[in-house]
Amino acid sequence: MHDYTIIYFPVRGRAESTRILLADQGQTWKEEVVTLESWMQGDMKKNAVFGQLPGFKDDKFELYQSNAVLRYLARNHNCYGKNTQEAALIDMVNDGVEDLLLKYAKMIYQNYEDGKDGYIENLPSDLKAFEKLLSKNGGGKGFIVGEQISLADYSLLNILLVHLTLAPNCLHDFPLLKAYVDRLSARPKIKTYLESDARKNRPINGNGKQ
Ligand code: GTS
């Protein structure tokens, strides 16, 4: 039995794929919520390996970098593919999700008012790669890589949910991705988590924009 703790600001942000993974894998975890005020005091920032959050603990084992946390959990819970080629494809998808997340965060935190419309207009060029990958894996009826759920599904589901909040019609031209979001969101443990008050009360981003 693991003793997991997510250490983060009171947002979904970069910890959300981890939360979805843990929920779906039937794991419990604690939330160590760091307020901006306590972060500004500086001690926690000094102790964080790269001066940033999220942090993660498995009992006394501490980890930073959200994608390293995802990979650690994927290894612990057997959702990192069935061989090294699947693992590499899972990394590829997750890196693609990371690229999109960075673009999204830049728009949200630095250019929301002026940049939102243009960002949404360009979104199909970012999403089409995921639709294509999905179509090539068993006709798009299952997971993004292989035949079992992986960390790439959790991070892809999260970024798609984030974008559906930003632009509710963004999957209109991507029927496989739309069905994929519906299918994964309906997995009982994910559904319970997505509908939980804890999640609903946690904003997506730290500046209230979404
Ligand atoms: N590559 C890191 C990761 O993936 O964990 C980036 C972490 C990061 O950018 N953290 C931000 C932070 O700690 C918060 S958030 O972008 O995840 O919302 N900012 C505070 C600071 O002092 O840098």
Side-chain angles (χ1 to χ4, degrees), residues 85-150:
Q85 290 188 348
E86 280 194 4
L89 291 174
I90 288 165
D91 285 341
M92 182 182 79
V93 172
N94 194 50
D95 286 356
V97 169
E98 173 68 20
D99 287 350
L100 183 53
L101 180 63
L102 287 171
K103 269 193 212 175
Y104 168 82
K106 196 168 174 204
M107 181 276 293
I108 287 283
Y109 286 103
Q110 297 172 21
N111 195 24
Y112 187 81
E113 273 72 27
D114 294 337
K116 181 182 166 183
D117 291 347
Y119 179 91
I120 291 174
E121 246 171 68
N122 273 324
L123 205 44
S125 66
D126 290 309
L127 295 177
K128 70 172 190 268
F130 297 110
E131 175 88 357
K132 193 169 168 191
L133 278 171
L134 192 56
S135 75
K136 285 183 170 171
N137 190 36
K141 302 272 184 278
F143 302 108
I144 191 73
V145 175
E147 287 169 6
Q148 62 177 50
I149 199 156
S150 73

Coordinates of all heavy atoms in Angstrom, one line a residue, residues 85-150:
Q85 N 8.9 -0.4 -26.8 CA 8.3 0.4 -28.0 C 7.0 1.1 -27.5 O 6.8 2.2 -27.9 CB 8.1 -0.5 -29.2 CG 9.5 -1.0 -29.8 CD 9.3 -1.7 -31.1 OE1 8.2 -2.1 -31.5 NE2 10.5 -1.9 -31.7
E86 N 6.2 0.3 -26.9 CA 5.0 1.0 -26.4 C 5.3 2.1 -25.4 O 4.7 3.2 -25.4 CB 4.0 0.0 -25.7 CG 3.2 -0.8 -26.7 CD 2.0 -1.6 -26.1 OE1 1.8 -1.4 -24.9 OE2 1.4 -2.3 -26.9
A87 N 6.3 1.8 -24.5 CA 6.7 2.9 -23.6 C 7.2 4.1 -24.3 O 6.9 5.3 -23.9 CB 7.8 2.3 -22.6
A88 N 8.0 3.9 -25.4 CA 8.5 5.0 -26.2 C 7.3 5.8 -26.8 O 7.3 7.1 -26.8 CB 9.5 4.5 -27.2
L89 N 6.3 5.1 -27.3 CA 5.2 5.8 -27.9 C 4.4 6.6 -26.9 O 3.9 7.7 -27.1 CB 4.3 4.8 -28.6 CG 4.9 4.2 -29.9 CD1 3.9 3.0 -30.4 CD2 5.1 5.2 -31.0
I90 N 4.3 6.0 -25.7 CA 3.6 6.6 -24.6 C 4.4 7.9 -24.2 O 3.8 9.0 -24.1 CB 3.5 5.7 -23.4 CG1 2.5 4.6 -23.7 CG2 3.2 6.4 -22.1 CD1 2.5 3.4 -22.7
D91 N 5.7 7.9 -24.2 CA 6.5 9.1 -23.9 C 6.3 10.1 -25.0 O 6.1 11.3 -24.8 CB 8.0 8.7 -23.9 CG 8.4 8.1 -22.6 OD1 7.7 8.2 -21.6 OD2 9.5 7.4 -22.6
M92 N 6.2 9.6 -26.3 CA 6.0 10.5 -27.4 C 4.7 11.3 -27.3 O 4.6 12.5 -27.4 CB 6.0 9.8 -28.7 CG 5.9 10.6 -30.0 SD 5.9 9.6 -31.5 CE 4.2 9.0 -31.5
V93 N 3.6 10.6 -27.0 CA 2.3 11.2 -26.8 C 2.4 12.2 -25.6 O 1.9 13.4 -25.7 CB 1.2 10.2 -26.6 CG1 -0.1 10.9 -26.2 CG2 1.0 9.3 -27.8
N94 N 3.0 11.8 -24.5 CA 3.0 12.6 -23.4 C 3.8 13.9 -23.6 O 3.5 15.0 -23.1 CB 3.6 11.9 -22.2 CG 3.3 12.6 -20.8 OD1 2.2 13.0 -20.6 ND2 4.3 12.8 -20.1
D95 N 4.9 13.8 -24.4 CA 5.7 15.0 -24.8 C 4.9 15.9 -25.7 O 5.0 17.1 -25.6 CB 7.0 14.5 -25.5 CG 8.0 14.0 -24.5 OD1 7.7 14.0 -23.3 OD2 9.1 13.5 -24.9
G96 N 4.1 15.3 -26.6 CA 3.2 16.1 -27.4 C 2.2 16.9 -26.5 O 1.9 18.0 -26.8
V97 N 1.6 16.2 -25.5 CA 0.7 16.8 -24.6 C 1.4 18.0 -23.8 O 0.9 19.1 -23.7 CB 0.1 15.8 -23.6 CG1 -0.6 16.5 -22.4 CG2 -0.8 14.8 -24.3
E98 N 2.7 17.7 -23.5 CA 3.5 18.7 -22.7 C 3.6 20.0 -23.6 O 3.5 21.1 -23.1 CB 4.8 18.1 -22.4 CG 5.8 19.1 -21.8 CD 5.4 19.6 -20.4 OE1 4.6 19.0 -19.7 OE2 6.0 20.7 -20.0
D99 N 4.0 19.8 -24.9 CA 4.1 20.9 -25.8 C 2.8 21.7 -25.9 O 2.9 23.0 -25.8 CB 4.5 20.4 -27.2 CG 5.9 19.9 -27.3 OD1 6.7 20.1 -26.4 OD2 6.2 19.3 -28.4
L100 N 1.7 21.1 -26.0 CA 0.4 21.8 -26.0 C 0.1 22.5 -24.7 O -0.4 23.6 -24.7 CB -0.7 20.8 -26.4 CG -2.1 21.3 -26.6 CD1 -2.1 22.5 -27.6 CD2 -3.1 20.2 -27.0
L101 N 0.5 21.8 -23.6 CA 0.2 22.4 -22.3 C 1.0 23.7 -22.1 O 0.6 24.7 -21.6 CB 0.6 21.4 -21.2 CG 0.4 21.9 -19.7 CD1 -1.0 22.2 -19.4 CD2 1.0 20.8 -18.8
L102 N 2.3 23.7 -22.6 CA 3.1 24.9 -22.5 C 2.5 26.0 -23.3 O 2.5 27.2 -22.9 CB 4.5 24.6 -23.0 CG 5.4 23.7 -22.1 CD1 6.7 23.3 -22.7 CD2 5.7 24.4 -20.7
K103 N 2.0 25.7 -24.5 CA 1.4 26.8 -25.4 C 0.1 27.3 -24.6 O -0.1 28.5 -24.6 CB 0.9 26.2 -26.7 CG 1.9 26.2 -27.8 CD 1.1 25.9 -29.1 CE 2.0 25.1 -30.1 NZ 1.4 24.7 -31.3
Y104 N -0.6 26.4 -24.1 CA -1.9 26.8 -23.4 C -1.6 27.7 -22.2 O -2.2 28.7 -22.0 CB -2.6 25.5 -23.0 CG -3.7 25.7 -22.0 CD1 -5.0 26.1 -22.4 CD2 -3.6 25.5 -20.6 CE1 -6.1 26.3 -21.5 CE2 -4.6 25.7 -19.7 CZ -5.8 26.1 -20.2 OH -6.9 26.3 -19.3
A105 N -0.6 27.3 -21.4 CA -0.2 28.0 -20.2 C 0.3 29.4 -20.6 O 0.0 30.4 -19.9 CB 0.8 27.2 -19.4
K106 N 1.0 29.5 -21.7 CA 1.5 30.8 -22.1 C 0.4 31.7 -22.4 O 0.3 32.9 -22.1 CB 2.4 30.6 -23.3 CG 3.3 31.7 -23.6 CD 4.3 31.4 -24.7 CE 5.1 32.6 -25.0 NZ 5.7 32.6 -26.3
M107 N -0.6 31.2 -23.1 CA -1.8 32.0 -23.5 C -2.6 32.4 -22.2 O -2.9 33.5 -22.0 CB -2.7 31.2 -24.5 CG -3.9 31.9 -25.0 SD -5.3 31.7 -23.8 CE -5.7 30.0 -23.9
I108 N -2.8 31.4 -21.4 CA -3.6 31.6 -20.2 C -3.0 32.7 -19.3 O -3.6 33.6 -18.7 CB -3.8 30.3 -19.4 CG1 -4.8 29.4 -20.1 CG2 -4.3 30.6 -17.9 CD1 -6.3 29.8 -20.0
Y109 N -1.7 32.6 -19.0 CA -1.0 33.4 -18.1 C -0.4 34.7 -18.6 O -0.2 35.6 -17.9 CB 0.1 32.6 -17.3 CG -0.4 31.6 -16.3 CD1 -0.5 30.3 -16.6 CD2 -0.9 32.1 -15.1 CE1 -1.0 29.4 -15.7 CE2 -1.5 31.2 -14.2 CZ -1.5 29.8 -14.5 OH -2.1 28.9 -13.6
Q110 N -0.2 34.7 -20.0 CA 0.5 35.9 -20.5 C -0.3 36.6 -21.6 O 0.1 37.8 -21.9 CB 1.9 35.5 -21.1 CG 2.8 34.9 -20.1 CD 4.1 34.4 -20.7 OE1 4.4 34.7 -21.8 NE2 4.8 33.5 -20.0
N111 N -1.3 36.0 -22.2 CA -1.9 36.7 -23.3 C -3.4 36.3 -23.5 O -3.9 36.1 -24.6 CB -1.1 36.3 -24.6 CG -1.4 37.1 -25.8 OD1 -1.9 38.3 -25.6 ND2 -1.2 36.6 -27.0
Y112 N -4.1 36.1 -22.4 CA -5.5 35.6 -22.4 C -6.4 36.5 -23.2 O -7.0 36.1 -24.2 CB -6.0 35.4 -21.0 CG -7.3 34.7 -21.0 CD1 -7.4 33.3 -21.1 CD2 -8.5 35.4 -20.9 CE1 -8.7 32.7 -21.1 CE2 -9.8 34.8 -20.8 CZ -9.8 33.4 -21.0 OH -11.0 32.8 -20.9
E113 N -6.4 37.8 -22.9 CA -7.4 38.7 -23.5 C -7.1 38.8 -25.0 O -8.0 38.7 -25.8 CB -7.4 40.1 -22.9 CG -8.3 40.2 -21.7 CD -7.8 39.4 -20.4 OE1 -6.6 39.3 -20.3 OE2 -8.6 38.9 -19.6
D114 N -5.9 39.1 -25.4 CA -5.6 39.3 -26.8 C -5.3 38.0 -27.6 O -5.5 37.9 -28.8 CB -4.3 40.1 -27.0 CG -4.6 41.5 -26.4 OD1 -5.7 41.9 -26.4 OD2 -3.6 42.2 -26.1
G115 N -5.0 36.9 -26.9 CA -4.5 35.7 -27.5 C -5.5 34.5 -27.6 O -5.3 33.6 -28.4
K116 N -6.6 34.6 -26.8 CA -7.5 33.5 -26.7 C -8.1 33.1 -28.1 O -8.1 31.9 -28.4 CB -8.6 33.8 -25.7 CG -9.5 32.6 -25.5 CD -10.6 33.0 -24.5 CE -11.7 32.0 -24.5 NZ -12.9 32.3 -23.7
D117 N -8.6 34.1 -28.8 CA -9.3 33.7 -30.0 C -8.4 33.1 -31.0 O -8.7 32.1 -31.7 CB -10.0 35.0 -30.6 CG -11.1 35.4 -29.8 OD1 -11.6 34.7 -28.9 OD2 -11.6 36.6 -30.0
G118 N -7.2 33.7 -31.2 CA -6.2 33.1 -32.1 C -5.8 31.7 -31.7 O -5.6 30.8 -32.6
Y119 N -5.6 31.6 -30.4 CA -5.2 30.2 -29.9 C -6.3 29.2 -30.3 O -5.9 28.1 -30.8 CB -5.0 30.3 -28.4 CG -4.6 29.0 -27.7 CD1 -3.3 28.7 -27.6 CD2 -5.6 28.1 -27.3 CE1 -2.9 27.4 -27.0 CE2 -5.2 26.9 -26.8 CZ -3.9 26.6 -26.6 OH -3.5 25.3 -26.1
I120 N -7.5 29.5 -30.1 CA -8.6 28.6 -30.4 C -8.6 28.3 -31.9 O -8.9 27.1 -32.3 CB -10.0 29.1 -29.9 CG1 -9.9 29.1 -28.3 CG2 -11.1 28.3 -30.4 CD1 -11.1 29.7 -27.7
E121 N -8.4 29.3 -32.7 CA -8.4 29.1 -34.2 C -7.3 28.2 -34.6 O -7.5 27.4 -35.5 CB -8.1 30.5 -34.8 CG -9.3 31.0 -35.7 CD -9.0 32.4 -36.1 OE1 -8.0 32.6 -36.9 OE2 -9.6 33.4 -35.6
N122 N -6.2 28.2 -33.9 CA -5.0 27.4 -34.3 C -5.1 26.0 -33.7 O -4.3 25.1 -34.1 CB -3.7 28.0 -33.8 CG -3.2 28.9 -34.8 OD1 -3.3 28.7 -36.0 ND2 -2.6 30.0 -34.3
L123 N -6.1 25.8 -32.8 CA -6.1 24.5 -32.0 C -6.2 23.3 -32.9 O -5.5 22.3 -32.6 CB -7.3 24.6 -31.0 CG -7.3 23.7 -29.8 CD1 -5.9 23.7 -29.1 CD2 -8.3 24.2 -28.8
P124 N -7.0 23.3 -34.0 CA -7.1 22.1 -34.8 C -5.7 21.6 -35.3 O -5.5 20.4 -35.4 CB -8.0 22.5 -36.0 CG -8.8 23.6 -35.5 CD -7.9 24.3 -34.5
S125 N -4.8 22.5 -35.6 CA -3.5 22.1 -36.1 C -2.7 21.3 -35.0 O -1.9 20.5 -35.2 CB -2.7 23.2 -36.6 OG -2.3 24.1 -35.6
D126 N -3.0 21.6 -33.7 CA -2.4 20.9 -32.6 C -3.1 19.6 -32.3 O -2.5 18.6 -32.0 CB -2.4 21.7 -31.3 CG -1.4 22.9 -31.4 OD1 -0.3 22.6 -31.8 OD2 -1.9 24.0 -31.2
L127 N -4.5 19.6 -32.5 CA -5.2 18.4 -32.1 C -5.2 17.3 -33.1 O -5.4 16.1 -32.8 CB -6.7 18.8 -31.8 CG -6.9 19.7 -30.6 CD1 -8.3 20.1 -30.4 CD2 -6.4 19.1 -29.3
K128 N -5.0 17.7 -34.4 CA -5.1 16.7 -35.4 C -4.1 15.5 -35.3 O -4.3 14.4 -35.7 CB -5.0 17.3 -36.8 CG -3.7 17.9 -37.3 CD -3.8 18.3 -38.7 CE -2.4 18.6 -39.3 NZ -2.0 20.0 -39.2
A129 N -2.9 15.8 -34.7 CA -1.9 14.8 -34.5 C -2.4 13.7 -33.6 O -2.2 12.5 -33.8 CB -0.6 15.4 -34.0
F130 N -3.2 14.1 -32.6 CA -3.7 13.1 -31.6 C -4.8 12.3 -32.2 O -4.9 11.1 -32.0 CB -4.2 13.9 -30.3 CG -3.1 14.6 -29.6 CD1 -3.0 16.0 -29.6 CD2 -2.1 13.9 -28.9 CE1 -2.0 16.6 -28.9 CE2 -1.1 14.5 -28.2 CZ -1.0 15.9 -28.2
E131 N -5.6 13.0 -33.0 CA -6.7 12.3 -33.7 C -6.1 11.2 -34.7 O -6.6 10.1 -34.7 CB -7.6 13.2 -34.5 CG -8.7 12.6 -35.4 CD -10.0 12.4 -34.7 OE1 -10.1 12.7 -33.5 OE2 -10.9 11.9 -35.3
K132 N -5.0 11.6 -35.4 CA -4.4 10.7 -36.3 C -3.8 9.5 -35.6 O -3.9 8.3 -36.0 CB -3.3 11.4 -37.1 CG -2.8 10.7 -38.3 CD -2.0 11.7 -39.1 CE -1.2 10.9 -40.2 NZ -0.2 11.7 -40.8
L133 N -3.1 9.8 -34.5 CA -2.5 8.7 -33.7 C -3.5 7.7 -33.2 O -3.4 6.5 -33.2 CB -1.7 9.3 -32.5 CG -0.3 9.8 -32.7 CD1 0.1 10.5 -31.4 CD2 0.6 8.7 -33.0
L134 N -4.6 8.3 -32.7 CA -5.7 7.5 -32.2 C -6.3 6.6 -33.3 O -6.5 5.4 -33.1 CB -6.8 8.4 -31.6 CG -7.9 7.8 -30.7 CD1 -7.3 7.0 -29.6 CD2 -8.8 8.8 -30.2
S135 N -6.5 7.1 -34.5 CA -7.1 6.4 -35.6 C -6.2 5.2 -35.9 O -6.7 4.2 -36.4 CB -7.3 7.3 -36.8 OG -6.1 7.6 -37.4
K136 N -4.9 5.4 -35.7 CA -3.9 4.3 -36.1 C -3.8 3.2 -35.1 O -3.1 2.2 -35.3 CB -2.5 4.9 -36.4 CG -2.5 5.7 -37.7 CD -1.1 6.2 -37.9 CE -0.9 6.7 -39.3 NZ 0.4 7.4 -39.4
N137 N -4.4 3.4 -33.9 CA -4.3 2.4 -32.9 C -5.7 1.7 -32.8 O -6.6 2.1 -32.1 CB -3.9 3.0 -31.5 CG -3.6 1.9 -30.5 OD1 -3.1 0.9 -30.8 ND2 -4.0 2.2 -29.3
G138 N -5.8 0.6 -33.5 CA -7.1 -0.2 -33.5 C -8.3 0.6 -34.0 O -9.4 0.4 -33.4
G139 N -8.1 1.5 -34.9 CA -9.2 2.3 -35.4 C -9.7 3.3 -34.5 O -10.8 3.9 -34.8
G140 N -9.0 3.6 -33.4 CA -9.4 4.7 -32.5 C -10.4 4.4 -31.5 O -11.0 5.3 -30.9
K141 N -10.7 3.1 -31.4 CA -11.8 2.7 -30.5 C -11.3 2.4 -29.0 O -12.1 2.1 -28.1 CB -12.5 1.5 -31.0 CG -13.1 1.6 -32.4 CD -14.5 2.2 -32.3 CE -15.2 2.3 -33.7 NZ -14.7 3.5 -34.4
G142 N -10.0 2.5 -28.8 CA -9.5 2.1 -27.5 C -8.7 3.2 -26.9 O -9.1 4.3 -26.7
F143 N -7.4 2.8 -26.7 CA -6.5 3.7 -26.0 C -5.6 4.4 -27.0 O -5.5 4.0 -28.2 CB -5.7 3.0 -24.9 CG -6.6 2.3 -23.9 CD1 -6.8 0.9 -23.9 CD2 -7.3 3.1 -23.0 CE1 -7.6 0.3 -23.0 CE2 -8.2 2.5 -22.1 CZ -8.4 1.1 -22.1
I144 N -4.8 5.4 -26.6 CA -3.9 6.1 -27.5 C -2.7 5.3 -27.9 O -2.2 5.4 -29.0 CB -3.5 7.5 -26.9 CG1 -2.9 8.4 -28.0 CG2 -2.6 7.4 -25.7 CD1 -3.8 8.9 -29.0
V145 N -2.3 4.4 -27.0 CA -1.1 3.5 -27.4 C -1.5 2.1 -26.8 O -1.9 1.9 -25.7 CB 0.2 3.9 -26.7 CG1 1.3 2.9 -26.9 CG2 0.6 5.3 -27.2
G146 N -1.3 1.1 -27.6 CA -1.5 -0.3 -27.2 C -2.9 -0.6 -26.8 O -3.9 0.0 -27.2
E147 N -3.0 -1.7 -26.0 CA -4.3 -2.2 -25.7 C -4.7 -2.1 -24.2 O -5.7 -2.6 -23.8 CB -4.4 -3.7 -26.1 CG -4.5 -3.9 -27.6 CD -4.3 -5.3 -28.1 OE1 -4.2 -6.2 -27.2 OE2 -4.2 -5.5 -29.3
Q148 N -3.9 -1.4 -23.5 CA -4.3 -1.1 -22.1 C -4.0 0.4 -21.8 O -3.2 1.1 -22.5 CB -3.5 -2.0 -21.1 CG -1.9 -1.7 -21.2 CD -1.2 -2.6 -20.2 OE1 -1.4 -3.8 -20.1 NE2 -0.3 -2.0 -19.4
I149 N -4.7 0.9 -20.8 CA -4.6 2.3 -20.5 C -3.2 2.6 -20.0 O -2.5 1.8 -19.4 CB -5.7 2.7 -19.4 CG1 -5.9 4.2 -19.4 CG2 -5.3 2.2 -18.0 CD1 -7.2 4.7 -18.9
S150 N -2.7 3.8 -20.3 CA -1.4 4.2 -20.0 C -1.4 5.6 -19.5 O -2.4 6.4 -19.6 CB -0.5 4.1 -21.2 OG -0.7 5.1 -22.1

